[in-house]
Amino acid sequence: MIHRIEVAFREGLVDPRENEVMAGIRDLGISGIERVFVTDVYWLEASLTEEQLRAVGSTLLSDPVAQVCGYGDEHVRGTEPCLRVIEVGYNRGVSDPLEYTILKGVKDIGIDTVSRARSGIRYVLQGSCTSEDIEVITHRILLNPVVQHVVQPGEDFFPSEPTYRFELRHVPLLDQSDVERDRIASSFGFSRDELNAICRYFASIGREPTDVELETFSQTWSEHCVHKTFKAKIVCDDEPIDNLLRSTIMRATRTLNHDWCLSVFEDNAGVIDFDGDHAVCFKVETHNHPSAVEPYGGAATGLGGVVRDVLGTGLGARPILNTDVFCFAPPDTPYRSVPTGVLHPRRVFKGVRAGVADYGNRLGIPTVNGTLRFDPRYLGNPLVFCGTAGIMPRWAARMGKQEPGDLVVLLGGRTGRDGIHGVTFASEKLDDTSADSSRSAVQIGNPIVEKQMIDALVQARDRRLYRRITDCGGGGLSSAVGEMGASTGVRVHLDRVPLKYAGLSYDEIWISESQERMIVAVPPENLEELLQVCAGEGVEATVIGEFTTNRRLELLYDGVVVGDLDMEFLHNGIPQLELSGARPREEWAGEDPSPGESYSSVLLGLLSSLNVCSKEWVIRQYDHEVQGTSVLKPLVGPAGDGPGDAAVIRPLLDSDRGLAVSNGINTRYGDIDPYWMAASAIDEALRQLVAVGAGLERVALLDNFCWGRATEPESMWALVQACKACYDMSLAFEVPFISGKDSLNNFSEFEDRIICIPHTLLISAIAVVPDANQVISMELKTPGNLLYVAGNTYAELAGSEYCALLGAGGRKVPEVRFEEARATMHRLAGAIGGGLVVSCHDMSEGGLAVAMAEMAFAGGLGASVNLSALPLGEAISRDDIVLFSESNSRFVVEVPVAQARRFEEWMAGIPCKQVGTVIPDTDLHIQGLDGTVVVSVPLHELKAAWKRPLDW
Amino acid sequence: MRKPRALIVRAPGTNCDLETAYALDVAGAATSLVHINRISSGEMSLAGFSIFVIPGGFSYGDDLGAGKLMARELERRLRDQVAEFVRRGGLVLGICNGFQVLVRAGLLPVPFGERQRVSLIPNASGRFECRWVHLRCAPGNPCVFTRDIAALDLGVAHGEGRLYVPGPVADDIVPVLYYATRDGSEPGYPANPNGSFRNIAGICDASGRILGLMPHPERFVRASQHPQWTARGDRGGTGDGLSLFTNAVDYARSLF
C-alpha cells in the first residue's frame, strides 16, 4: 500500500525555505501573504506495520530532536484554517533525487519492504490574496512546470512501469519529395545540404536509414558537437576565411608552439605542464538554454558537465577548482516587461546560483572566483559559464587510444529520458514554447553519483586499468562512443545499457543525455579489477560493447542490427557551411558626456552599478576552501569583503607551486567595437593575474564565445573581428589558447520582438605560479606607503560604466597598445615577485576611481591621490576622463617607502608614476588636474554603496 | 618512535578527506583513508587504530538531513566497533559533516546514549556560508584535541551548523569551542555564522576524547591559508588548525 509521511520543523523553528518563499512572493510584488509553512512529504510504496512506519518517520525521514512527523492524512504544520494548501511533486518520468537515499536508508534501519518512494513539498499559505496571485506564486515560485506539478487528490504516485516492445523503424528518405525531405530535415535539425549528403550516402549503400542512424547524424553534426559555424567557409567583407577557428585562435597557439602546452584543441579540455610531474587541464562550458527554462537543474548539470570534461581529459584529471561567470538581465526588471514563458531574471539568478553551488559544494570542488554581468538583453537567454580545472600525473596528460577488442564500459548513473535532444535544443532559438518543448531536454543531476565516479576513476587511472576515457555529455552515448570509436570502429549493444526505468526505445537510449556517465575503453584482462574498483566506491559499471577494426559504428538491440554506419562519412561527411560577414553600415558616433563639477556622487553611483557592486551574496554561498588549497580567496582584506583579483590555489598540498585563475569579460565594448572588446577581455584576464604577482611566463587562455545570431552577416563580422583580436593578443603576449567553446544562437523570439544577447566573449586564464608564498592581495596594507599607477591612461570612455551611468555613448573604446601593455605587465609582475609591492589592483569597470575606492575600503585605510601625477598616454584636460576612463593595462600599486627607490628603478622606462599615499584617515581624497578636490568620501559610504545592490 | 595510526572513514559524498589525511600526516600520524563499505563489510576494522576521524563533506548528499544516512550506517554496522574503540581510549573527531554524523548517531554529546539528544539545524541566515571565524576555547574543558589552545581562527563552510539543544539536555553539553570576537564583545552574525546555541562551535563528551566541531581545522595547516596572511607577511609558517591534530597525535602516542 501507499504510506504518506509529513515532516516539518517543530513549532518555533523556522524552515529557511519559508523565508525564501516569502522573499520570492515579495519579489513578485504580491502583498497579503502573512505566513508560509513548508513541510516535506514522502510517499512510500511499502507494506509497513504502524511501528515500522513510525520508525521510518522518526529515525530516517525526520530529525527526532528538531522535527515532527505526521502519518497518513495527519498534517503537522499550518493546521489552522488557511488560505490555500499546495502540494508539489515531481512529474512522471522525472527521477526523484531522494528515492535512492530513502530506499538505502530504510534498509539501514532494518526494513526491506519498501519498494518505491517519492518526495514532495507541502506549502500552506496564510493571509489573503486573489486566486490569480496564488496561481502566479505557484508557478513562479513554488514549482517549475518543467519538472514539477501540483499534486492532485488521489494521484497515482507509482504508475506501473511502461513496457517497451522492440520494433526496428526505418525512415524512408530516398524517393521522397523535396517537401517531405524538408520536413524530415527540420524534424532532425538538418540543413538541406546536410540531408542531401545523407541521402547520397544511403543511396550509395542502397538502403533507407533507420531512425537511430538519422539521430546519430543529427547529434554528431549538431552545432554543439562540430562547431559548424567556426569551421565554415566565410567571406567577410571580401576576405575569404576557411575555418575561422583554425585560421586565428588555433593558429596563434601553433605559432607560439610552447613546449609546456601538452594537449591543445584536441581533447575535452586543454592541458599544460604544471611542475614536470603533473599536468593541469582547464575547460569552461556554457549551459545557457537549459538554464533559461530550468535555472536550478540547468545550471547544476552545466557544472556537472564541465567537471566530467575534466575527468575525461587525457586519461582522467581530478577536479581542483571551479570558476563561474553568469550573465543575467537586471534583477529589478519589472515583472510586466517579462514576456510569457520567460522566467524573471531574479528567479533565474537565484536558481542558477543555487544549482551551481549545490552541485559544486557537494562535489567538494572549491569555487575560487567568477563574476556576474548584467544586461537587459540577457532576458530570456541568460548565459551560464561553468569552468573547471583538474590535475593529473604528467603521464596521463594525453588522450588515450583504444585497441580493437577493448571493451566499451559505461560507468556511473543510469540512463533515462532526461536530456533527450539536448544538443539540438542548445543550438535552437528560445521562444515562449521552449518551456514545454524542452521538458525532456532538461536533465536532473546527482552530484554524489558524480563524486563517487571521480573517486573510482582516479583509482582506476592510477592502476592503469583503461586505455582511454571520455565523458557522456551533449549527444549522450551517440557522441561519446561515436567519437571514441572513430579511429577503430565500435559495436554497441543498446539493450545492455542500465536504465532508470523501463520503456526506453533503442534510439532514446542512444541519445539520452542522462547525467553522471563516463565511457572507458578497457582491455578485457583488466575488466575484473575495474569492476572491483567501481564496486568499492558503489559505482555501477557495465560492458555495453567492444571496439572493432572495421571503422564502422554498429548498433544492436537484442542482437538485431539497428544501425550500421561508416565512421569516415559520419565524422567527415558533413558539408562545410558557407557564411558571409559584413561590417555594419553606420560607424559608431557616440560622444563623451559633458563634464561635471565634483565626482563623489558619480563614484558612489558607479560602485552601486550592478557590474561593479559586491558579489559577496553569491560568493559566500560557494565553498571556496574545500580541498585545503586556498591561497588567495575571492574576498580579501581584514573584513574579508574586498574584491580580490585572480584567485590562487596550491593544488598539491605538499608543494608551494600555485595556480592562479582569472576571467575577463566586457560586453559593452562589443556593441561598439568587437575587436577591442575581445582584446580588452584578454587584457583584463591577464591584468588580474599580474595584479596578484602571477606573471605571464606560463599562462594559458580559454575562449568562450556566446553570440546572438552568428549566421547573420553583421554578427558574423563581429565574430571575425573578435577572433582576429584573440590571434593578435595571443601572439603579442605570447599566451596561447589551449581550448574553447562557442554557443552562437542566443536569441529569444517573442510574439512582439526578438531579443539577441550582446556579443559576449569570456576569456578565462590560468597561470602557473612558481612560489605561491610570493603572491599579494589587493587591499591597502599600511598608512604611509606610496601609491603608484602603472600604465598609461587614455581618453577612452566609450562603453564605460561611467557613460552607462550618465546615459552617454562615449567617443572611443579602450584599446590595447601591445608593446606598452606587455612591457608594463612583465615588469610589474617582476616587481611583485621580487617583494617590492604589498598590494596591487587592476583598473577595469569604473576606472581609477573605482579601483582606488575598492583598495581603500577593502583595507580599511584611506588614500590621498593627485590626478595631475597620473601617467597619460595622450593630453587629457578633464578630471572625469582620468577618473573613469577604462583604458586597459593599468594598475594601482602600493609600495613601502623603503622599497620606493628600488621599485622606481625597476619600473624605469615603463609608464609608472607615484600618484599618492596611503593615509591613516578613513576617507578617499582625490585631487583633480588643477589641484582642487574632485572626490572626497568616507570609506564606509563607499563600501555601503558598493554592497547595497546585491545584499540579499 | 612508532607513529599513532589514524583512520579516516569516508562515505559517498565525503569531500574533505584528502586534506584531513594530509593534516594528520603532517601532525605525525600514520593515516589510512578507508571507504565505510570496507568497514561495514568487515574487510577492515578499527582495531590497531587510535584516532578515528569522520571528515567533512555531504555524505550521501545530505539527503534527508546532513549526515543522516552515514549516522544510520554507523549505528547499524559500526556501533560495536566504535564502542570498543572508545572503551580502549581511542580518539574520535567529527569535522563539519562528521560532527553532524556524530550528533545524529547519538555519539555526542553523550556517547551511546539511547538516542540523538541535540541537533545541528539550518543556519539562522538560511544559507550555506563559507567564511572565517574567530574561536575561543572553553576554559577548563577536558577536550584532548584543544589542549593549550586559548583561541584560534578557522574557516566554516556549512548550511546546517546551528547547534540546537532542547532545554533539559543543556547541562549534558560540554562546550569546547565558542564563536567569538577579538574584543570579547557578544558575537552576533556573522561572528557567530549560524546562530548556534550559546555561540557553541564544537562540543566533546565528558571524557574529552570525542570531539565534534563545525569549523575546519584541516583547512588551516599552513599560515598562507589564513585570509589575512598577505597582510601579516606570514609566508612560511604553520596554521592554527594543525595544533588540533598534533594534540591528538601526541595524546595517542602516550596511549600505546
PDB file of all heavy atoms in Angstrom, chain A residues 59-60 63 101 108 537 620 625 627-628 633 650 773 777, chain B residues 10 19 63 68 72 76 119 130 132 224-225 228 230 235:
ATOM      1  N   THR A  59      13.315   8.021  12.665  1.00  0.00           N
ATOM      2  CA  THR A  59      14.772   7.830  12.618  1.00  0.00           C
ATOM      3  C   THR A  59      15.377   8.076  11.237  1.00  0.00           C
ATOM      4  O   THR A  59      16.583   8.230  11.117  1.00  0.00           O
ATOM      5  CB  THR A  59      15.165   6.394  13.049  1.00  0.00           C
ATOM      6  OG1 THR A  59      14.578   5.483  12.122  1.00  0.00           O
ATOM      7  CG2 THR A  59      14.670   6.094  14.443  1.00  0.00           C
ATOM      8  N   LEU A  60      14.546   8.107  10.192  1.00  0.00           N
ATOM      9  CA  LEU A  60      15.132   8.289   8.859  1.00  0.00           C
ATOM     10  C   LEU A  60      14.696   9.592   8.188  1.00  0.00           C
ATOM     11  O   LEU A  60      15.512  10.418   7.800  1.00  0.00           O
ATOM     12  CB  LEU A  60      14.771   7.107   7.953  1.00  0.00           C
ATOM     13  CG  LEU A  60      15.443   7.155   6.582  1.00  0.00           C
ATOM     14  CD1 LEU A  60      16.940   6.971   6.707  1.00  0.00           C
ATOM     15  CD2 LEU A  60      14.835   6.116   5.651  1.00  0.00           C
ATOM     16  N   ASP A  63      14.348  14.615  11.758  1.00  0.00           N
ATOM     17  CA  ASP A  63      15.293  14.786  12.846  1.00  0.00           C
ATOM     18  C   ASP A  63      14.481  14.753  14.138  1.00  0.00           C
ATOM     19  O   ASP A  63      13.721  15.685  14.414  1.00  0.00           O
ATOM     20  CB  ASP A  63      16.004  16.132  12.683  1.00  0.00           C
ATOM     21  CG  ASP A  63      16.980  16.409  13.816  1.00  0.00           C
ATOM     22  OD1 ASP A  63      16.646  16.094  14.979  1.00  0.00           O
ATOM     23  OD2 ASP A  63      18.060  16.929  13.544  1.00  0.00           O
ATOM     24  N   THR A 101      18.160   7.413  -1.866  1.00  0.00           N
ATOM     25  CA  THR A 101      18.579   7.579  -0.470  1.00  0.00           C
ATOM     26  C   THR A 101      17.572   6.953   0.478  1.00  0.00           C
ATOM     27  O   THR A 101      17.945   6.284   1.440  1.00  0.00           O
ATOM     28  CB  THR A 101      18.685   9.086  -0.140  1.00  0.00           C
ATOM     29  OG1 THR A 101      19.065   9.780  -1.308  1.00  0.00           O
ATOM     30  CG2 THR A 101      19.666   9.323   0.956  1.00  0.00           C
ATOM     31  N   ASP A 108      19.011   0.346   6.000  1.00  0.00           N
ATOM     32  CA  ASP A 108      19.948   0.539   7.114  1.00  0.00           C
ATOM     33  C   ASP A 108      19.238   0.510   8.463  1.00  0.00           C
ATOM     34  O   ASP A 108      19.868   0.261   9.493  1.00  0.00           O
ATOM     35  CB  ASP A 108      20.728   1.854   6.949  1.00  0.00           C
ATOM     36  CG  ASP A 108      21.869   1.714   5.949  1.00  0.00           C
ATOM     37  OD1 ASP A 108      22.263   0.553   5.679  1.00  0.00           O
ATOM     38  OD2 ASP A 108      22.341   2.736   5.424  1.00  0.00           O
ATOM     39  N   GLU A 537      33.520   1.685  -4.659  1.00  0.00           N
ATOM     40  CA  GLU A 537      33.013   3.050  -4.489  1.00  0.00           C
ATOM     41  C   GLU A 537      31.505   3.120  -4.709  1.00  0.00           C
ATOM     42  O   GLU A 537      30.936   4.211  -4.739  1.00  0.00           O
ATOM     43  CB  GLU A 537      33.717   3.999  -5.461  1.00  0.00           C
ATOM     44  CG  GLU A 537      35.224   4.116  -5.237  1.00  0.00           C
ATOM     45  CD  GLU A 537      35.561   4.780  -3.911  1.00  0.00           C
ATOM     46  OE1 GLU A 537      34.767   5.619  -3.443  1.00  0.00           O
ATOM     47  OE2 GLU A 537      36.616   4.440  -3.341  1.00  0.00           O
ATOM     48  N   ARG A 620      29.770  33.915  -0.926  1.00  0.00           N
ATOM     49  CA  ARG A 620      29.722  33.251   0.384  1.00  0.00           C
ATOM     50  C   ARG A 620      29.009  31.904   0.359  1.00  0.00           C
ATOM     51  O   ARG A 620      29.205  31.085   1.228  1.00  0.00           O
ATOM     52  CB  ARG A 620      29.000  34.142   1.391  1.00  0.00           C
ATOM     53  CG  ARG A 620      29.790  35.325   1.813  1.00  0.00           C
ATOM     54  CD  ARG A 620      30.485  35.104   3.129  1.00  0.00           C
ATOM     55  NE  ARG A 620      31.358  36.239   3.398  1.00  0.00           N
ATOM     56  CZ  ARG A 620      32.684  36.150   3.458  1.00  0.00           C
ATOM     57  NH1 ARG A 620      33.273  34.983   3.311  1.00  0.00           N
ATOM     58  NH2 ARG A 620      33.413  37.220   3.679  1.00  0.00           N
ATOM     59  N   GLU A 625      37.037  26.949  -0.103  1.00  0.00           N
ATOM     60  CA  GLU A 625      38.216  26.483   0.625  1.00  0.00           C
ATOM     61  C   GLU A 625      38.333  24.970   0.720  1.00  0.00           C
ATOM     62  O   GLU A 625      39.338  24.456   1.209  1.00  0.00           O
ATOM     63  CB  GLU A 625      38.213  27.081   2.027  1.00  0.00           C
ATOM     64  CG  GLU A 625      37.945  28.567   2.014  1.00  0.00           C
ATOM     65  CD  GLU A 625      38.920  29.351   2.845  1.00  0.00           C
ATOM     66  OE1 GLU A 625      39.844  28.759   3.417  1.00  0.00           O
ATOM     67  OE2 GLU A 625      38.759  30.579   2.900  1.00  0.00           O
ATOM     68  N   GLN A 627      39.162  21.213  -0.055  1.00  0.00           N
ATOM     69  CA  GLN A 627      40.420  20.635  -0.571  1.00  0.00           C
ATOM     70  C   GLN A 627      41.641  21.268   0.094  1.00  0.00           C
ATOM     71  O   GLN A 627      42.754  20.812  -0.100  1.00  0.00           O
ATOM     72  CB  GLN A 627      40.543  20.724  -2.106  1.00  0.00           C
ATOM     73  CG  GLN A 627      39.489  19.904  -2.858  1.00  0.00           C
ATOM     74  CD  GLN A 627      39.754  19.810  -4.350  1.00  0.00           C
ATOM     75  OE1 GLN A 627      40.775  20.248  -4.873  1.00  0.00           O
ATOM     76  NE2 GLN A 627      38.803  19.208  -5.064  1.00  0.00           N
ATOM     77  N   GLY A 628      41.417  22.334   0.895  1.00  0.00           N
ATOM     78  CA  GLY A 628      42.523  22.889   1.684  1.00  0.00           C
ATOM     79  C   GLY A 628      43.627  23.510   0.844  1.00  0.00           C
ATOM     80  O   GLY A 628      44.779  23.560   1.269  1.00  0.00           O
ATOM     81  N   LYS A 633      41.848  34.170  -1.718  1.00  0.00           N
ATOM     82  CA  LYS A 633      40.418  33.895  -1.759  1.00  0.00           C
ATOM     83  C   LYS A 633      39.697  34.927  -2.622  1.00  0.00           C
ATOM     84  O   LYS A 633      40.242  35.994  -2.891  1.00  0.00           O
ATOM     85  CB  LYS A 633      39.887  33.878  -0.331  1.00  0.00           C
ATOM     86  CG  LYS A 633      40.737  32.989   0.583  1.00  0.00           C
ATOM     87  CD  LYS A 633      40.330  33.035   2.020  1.00  0.00           C
ATOM     88  CE  LYS A 633      41.405  32.465   2.941  1.00  0.00           C
ATOM     89  NZ  LYS A 633      41.800  31.084   2.586  1.00  0.00           N
ATOM     90  N   ARG A 650      46.903  26.226  -4.182  1.00  0.00           N
ATOM     91  CA  ARG A 650      48.090  25.390  -4.159  1.00  0.00           C
ATOM     92  C   ARG A 650      47.563  23.967  -4.355  1.00  0.00           C
ATOM     93  O   ARG A 650      47.209  23.296  -3.393  1.00  0.00           O
ATOM     94  CB  ARG A 650      48.777  25.540  -2.794  1.00  0.00           C
ATOM     95  CG  ARG A 650      50.149  24.949  -2.715  1.00  0.00           C
ATOM     96  CD  ARG A 650      50.649  24.910  -1.282  1.00  0.00           C
ATOM     97  NE  ARG A 650      51.091  26.172  -0.742  1.00  0.00           N
ATOM     98  CZ  ARG A 650      50.417  26.892   0.161  1.00  0.00           C
ATOM     99  NH1 ARG A 650      49.255  26.478   0.597  1.00  0.00           N
ATOM    100  NH2 ARG A 650      50.924  28.022   0.612  1.00  0.00           N
ATOM    101  N   ASN A 773      53.868  31.476  -2.148  1.00  0.00           N
ATOM    102  CA  ASN A 773      54.107  32.327  -0.982  1.00  0.00           C
ATOM    103  C   ASN A 773      54.470  33.758  -1.366  1.00  0.00           C
ATOM    104  O   ASN A 773      54.611  34.616  -0.495  1.00  0.00           O
ATOM    105  CB  ASN A 773      55.217  31.735  -0.121  1.00  0.00           C
ATOM    106  CG  ASN A 773      54.803  30.423   0.493  1.00  0.00           C
ATOM    107  OD1 ASN A 773      53.686  30.297   0.994  1.00  0.00           O
ATOM    108  ND2 ASN A 773      55.667  29.430   0.399  1.00  0.00           N
ATOM    109  N   SER A 777      47.705  40.458  -2.230  1.00  0.00           N
ATOM    110  CA  SER A 777      46.282  40.742  -2.369  1.00  0.00           C
ATOM    111  C   SER A 777      46.076  42.235  -2.619  1.00  0.00           C
ATOM    112  O   SER A 777      47.011  43.022  -2.523  1.00  0.00           O
ATOM    113  CB  SER A 777      45.544  40.310  -1.088  1.00  0.00           C
ATOM    114  OG  SER A 777      46.182  40.870   0.043  1.00  0.00           O
TER     115      SER A 777
ATOM    116  N   ARG B  10      35.430   7.436   4.949  1.00  0.00           N
ATOM    117  CA  ARG B  10      34.675   8.277   4.017  1.00  0.00           C
ATOM    118  C   ARG B  10      33.489   7.503   3.455  1.00  0.00           C
ATOM    119  O   ARG B  10      33.504   6.283   3.361  1.00  0.00           O
ATOM    120  CB  ARG B  10      35.558   8.787   2.890  1.00  0.00           C
ATOM    121  CG  ARG B  10      36.186   7.716   2.057  1.00  0.00           C
ATOM    122  CD  ARG B  10      37.163   8.321   1.039  1.00  0.00           C
ATOM    123  NE  ARG B  10      37.687   7.259   0.195  1.00  0.00           N
ATOM    124  CZ  ARG B  10      37.075   6.848  -0.914  1.00  0.00           C
ATOM    125  NH1 ARG B  10      35.933   7.407  -1.297  1.00  0.00           N
ATOM    126  NH2 ARG B  10      37.570   5.863  -1.642  1.00  0.00           N
ATOM    127  N   GLU B  19      42.503  16.477   2.472  1.00  0.00           N
ATOM    128  CA  GLU B  19      43.209  17.492   3.273  1.00  0.00           C
ATOM    129  C   GLU B  19      43.244  17.099   4.753  1.00  0.00           C
ATOM    130  O   GLU B  19      44.195  17.432   5.469  1.00  0.00           O
ATOM    131  CB  GLU B  19      42.585  18.879   3.087  1.00  0.00           C
ATOM    132  CG  GLU B  19      41.098  18.987   3.358  1.00  0.00           C
ATOM    133  CD  GLU B  19      40.235  18.737   2.119  1.00  0.00           C
ATOM    134  OE1 GLU B  19      40.528  17.817   1.335  1.00  0.00           O
ATOM    135  OE2 GLU B  19      39.243  19.468   1.939  1.00  0.00           O
ATOM    136  N   ASP B  63      21.069  14.078   1.880  1.00  0.00           N
ATOM    137  CA  ASP B  63      19.637  13.861   1.675  1.00  0.00           C
ATOM    138  C   ASP B  63      19.007  13.448   3.000  1.00  0.00           C
ATOM    139  O   ASP B  63      19.624  12.746   3.794  1.00  0.00           O
ATOM    140  CB  ASP B  63      19.400  12.752   0.641  1.00  0.00           C
ATOM    141  CG  ASP B  63      19.925  13.146  -0.734  1.00  0.00           C
ATOM    142  OD1 ASP B  63      20.194  14.348  -0.933  1.00  0.00           O
ATOM    143  OD2 ASP B  63      20.070  12.250  -1.585  1.00  0.00           O
ATOM    144  N   LYS B  68      22.715  12.329   8.018  1.00  0.00           N
ATOM    145  CA  LYS B  68      21.693  11.371   8.456  1.00  0.00           C
ATOM    146  C   LYS B  68      22.003   9.931   8.051  1.00  0.00           C
ATOM    147  O   LYS B  68      22.066   9.022   8.903  1.00  0.00           O
ATOM    148  CB  LYS B  68      20.330  11.804   7.911  1.00  0.00           C
ATOM    149  CG  LYS B  68      19.204  10.808   8.107  1.00  0.00           C
ATOM    150  CD  LYS B  68      18.856  10.630   9.564  1.00  0.00           C
ATOM    151  CE  LYS B  68      18.164  11.830  10.133  1.00  0.00           C
ATOM    152  NZ  LYS B  68      16.850  12.094   9.542  1.00  0.00           N
ATOM    153  N   ARG B  72      23.043   6.594  10.349  1.00  0.00           N
ATOM    154  CA  ARG B  72      22.291   5.331  10.436  1.00  0.00           C
ATOM    155  C   ARG B  72      23.234   4.153  10.182  1.00  0.00           C
ATOM    156  O   ARG B  72      23.178   3.123  10.843  1.00  0.00           O
ATOM    157  CB  ARG B  72      21.160   5.321   9.415  1.00  0.00           C
ATOM    158  CG  ARG B  72      20.041   6.321   9.674  1.00  0.00           C
ATOM    159  CD  ARG B  72      19.239   5.975  10.920  1.00  0.00           C
ATOM    160  NE  ARG B  72      19.891   6.464  12.134  1.00  0.00           N
ATOM    161  CZ  ARG B  72      19.738   7.700  12.612  1.00  0.00           C
ATOM    162  NH1 ARG B  72      18.973   8.558  11.985  1.00  0.00           N
ATOM    163  NH2 ARG B  72      20.356   8.068  13.711  1.00  0.00           N
ATOM    164  N   ARG B  76      24.130   1.156  12.693  1.00  0.00           N
ATOM    165  CA  ARG B  76      23.726  -0.216  12.410  1.00  0.00           C
ATOM    166  C   ARG B  76      24.927  -1.127  12.208  1.00  0.00           C
ATOM    167  O   ARG B  76      24.943  -2.258  12.672  1.00  0.00           O
ATOM    168  CB  ARG B  76      22.837  -0.233  11.168  1.00  0.00           C
ATOM    169  CG  ARG B  76      22.329  -1.615  10.795  1.00  0.00           C
ATOM    170  CD  ARG B  76      21.228  -1.514   9.743  1.00  0.00           C
ATOM    171  NE  ARG B  76      20.878  -2.827   9.197  1.00  0.00           N
ATOM    172  CZ  ARG B  76      20.138  -3.719   9.854  1.00  0.00           C
ATOM    173  NH1 ARG B  76      19.715  -3.456  11.067  1.00  0.00           N
ATOM    174  NH2 ARG B  76      19.850  -4.887   9.277  1.00  0.00           N
ATOM    175  N   SER B 119      20.788  18.679  18.078  1.00  0.00           N
ATOM    176  CA  SER B 119      20.783  18.641  16.624  1.00  0.00           C
ATOM    177  C   SER B 119      21.565  19.812  16.044  1.00  0.00           C
ATOM    178  O   SER B 119      21.848  20.785  16.750  1.00  0.00           O
ATOM    179  CB  SER B 119      19.342  18.669  16.098  1.00  0.00           C
ATOM    180  OG  SER B 119      19.351  18.484  14.691  1.00  0.00           O
ATOM    181  N   CYS B 130      30.360  30.233   3.587  1.00  0.00           N
ATOM    182  CA  CYS B 130      31.787  29.938   3.669  1.00  0.00           C
ATOM    183  C   CYS B 130      32.488  31.202   4.139  1.00  0.00           C
ATOM    184  O   CYS B 130      32.497  32.204   3.421  1.00  0.00           O
ATOM    185  CB  CYS B 130      32.296  29.517   2.288  1.00  0.00           C
ATOM    186  SG  CYS B 130      34.049  29.141   2.228  1.00  0.00           S
ATOM    187  N   TRP B 132      35.539  32.858   7.400  1.00  0.00           N
ATOM    188  CA  TRP B 132      36.431  32.568   8.534  1.00  0.00           C
ATOM    189  C   TRP B 132      35.846  33.139   9.808  1.00  0.00           C
ATOM    190  O   TRP B 132      35.172  34.171   9.791  1.00  0.00           O
ATOM    191  CB  TRP B 132      37.825  33.124   8.261  1.00  0.00           C
ATOM    192  CG  TRP B 132      38.610  32.186   7.394  1.00  0.00           C
ATOM    193  CD1 TRP B 132      38.319  31.882   6.098  1.00  0.00           C
ATOM    194  CD2 TRP B 132      39.745  31.411   7.766  1.00  0.00           C
ATOM    195  NE1 TRP B 132      39.220  30.952   5.636  1.00  0.00           N
ATOM    196  CE2 TRP B 132      40.104  30.648   6.633  1.00  0.00           C
ATOM    197  CE3 TRP B 132      40.488  31.277   8.936  1.00  0.00           C
ATOM    198  CZ2 TRP B 132      41.192  29.770   6.642  1.00  0.00           C
ATOM    199  CZ3 TRP B 132      41.574  30.416   8.931  1.00  0.00           C
ATOM    200  CH2 TRP B 132      41.906  29.668   7.796  1.00  0.00           C
ATOM    201  N   SER B 224      49.652  30.340   5.184  1.00  0.00           N
ATOM    202  CA  SER B 224      49.161  31.052   3.992  1.00  0.00           C
ATOM    203  C   SER B 224      47.750  30.621   3.597  1.00  0.00           C
ATOM    204  O   SER B 224      47.271  30.988   2.530  1.00  0.00           O
ATOM    205  CB  SER B 224      50.118  30.833   2.827  1.00  0.00           C
ATOM    206  OG  SER B 224      50.252  29.460   2.569  1.00  0.00           O
ATOM    207  N   GLN B 225      47.085  29.827   4.445  1.00  0.00           N
ATOM    208  CA  GLN B 225      45.668  29.552   4.205  1.00  0.00           C
ATOM    209  C   GLN B 225      44.782  30.571   4.909  1.00  0.00           C
ATOM    210  O   GLN B 225      43.583  30.657   4.643  1.00  0.00           O
ATOM    211  CB  GLN B 225      45.322  28.128   4.668  1.00  0.00           C
ATOM    212  CG  GLN B 225      45.923  27.057   3.776  1.00  0.00           C
ATOM    213  CD  GLN B 225      45.827  25.675   4.370  1.00  0.00           C
ATOM    214  OE1 GLN B 225      46.148  25.452   5.538  1.00  0.00           O
ATOM    215  NE2 GLN B 225      45.370  24.725   3.573  1.00  0.00           N
ATOM    216  N   GLN B 228      44.169  36.608   6.090  1.00  0.00           N
ATOM    217  CA  GLN B 228      44.980  37.831   6.197  1.00  0.00           C
ATOM    218  C   GLN B 228      46.483  37.582   6.069  1.00  0.00           C
ATOM    219  O   GLN B 228      47.278  38.452   6.432  1.00  0.00           O
ATOM    220  CB  GLN B 228      44.702  38.538   7.522  1.00  0.00           C
ATOM    221  CG  GLN B 228      43.632  39.605   7.394  1.00  0.00           C
ATOM    222  CD  GLN B 228      42.290  39.027   7.743  1.00  0.00           C
ATOM    223  OE1 GLN B 228      42.065  38.566   8.853  1.00  0.00           O
ATOM    224  NE2 GLN B 228      41.389  39.001   6.776  1.00  0.00           N
ATOM    225  N   THR B 230      48.526  37.629   3.673  1.00  0.00           N
ATOM    226  CA  THR B 230      49.329  38.541   2.844  1.00  0.00           C
ATOM    227  C   THR B 230      49.615  39.835   3.593  1.00  0.00           C
ATOM    228  O   THR B 230      50.638  40.469   3.392  1.00  0.00           O
ATOM    229  CB  THR B 230      48.600  38.881   1.533  1.00  0.00           C
ATOM    230  OG1 THR B 230      47.282  39.349   1.848  1.00  0.00           O
ATOM    231  CG2 THR B 230      48.499  37.673   0.628  1.00  0.00           C
ATOM    232  N   ARG B 235      54.602  33.963   5.642  1.00  0.00           N
ATOM    233  CA  ARG B 235      54.669  33.171   4.416  1.00  0.00           C
ATOM    234  C   ARG B 235      55.000  31.702   4.614  1.00  0.00           C
ATOM    235  O   ARG B 235      54.421  30.839   3.967  1.00  0.00           O
ATOM    236  CB  ARG B 235      55.651  33.823   3.445  1.00  0.00           C
ATOM    237  CG  ARG B 235      55.099  35.148   2.955  1.00  0.00           C
ATOM    238  CD  ARG B 235      56.014  35.985   2.117  1.00  0.00           C
ATOM    239  NE  ARG B 235      55.446  37.336   1.973  1.00  0.00           N
ATOM    240  CZ  ARG B 235      54.490  37.660   1.107  1.00  0.00           C
ATOM    241  NH1 ARG B 235      53.977  36.744   0.309  1.00  0.00           N
ATOM    242  NH2 ARG B 235      54.013  38.880   1.060  1.00  0.00           N
TER     243      ARG B 235
END
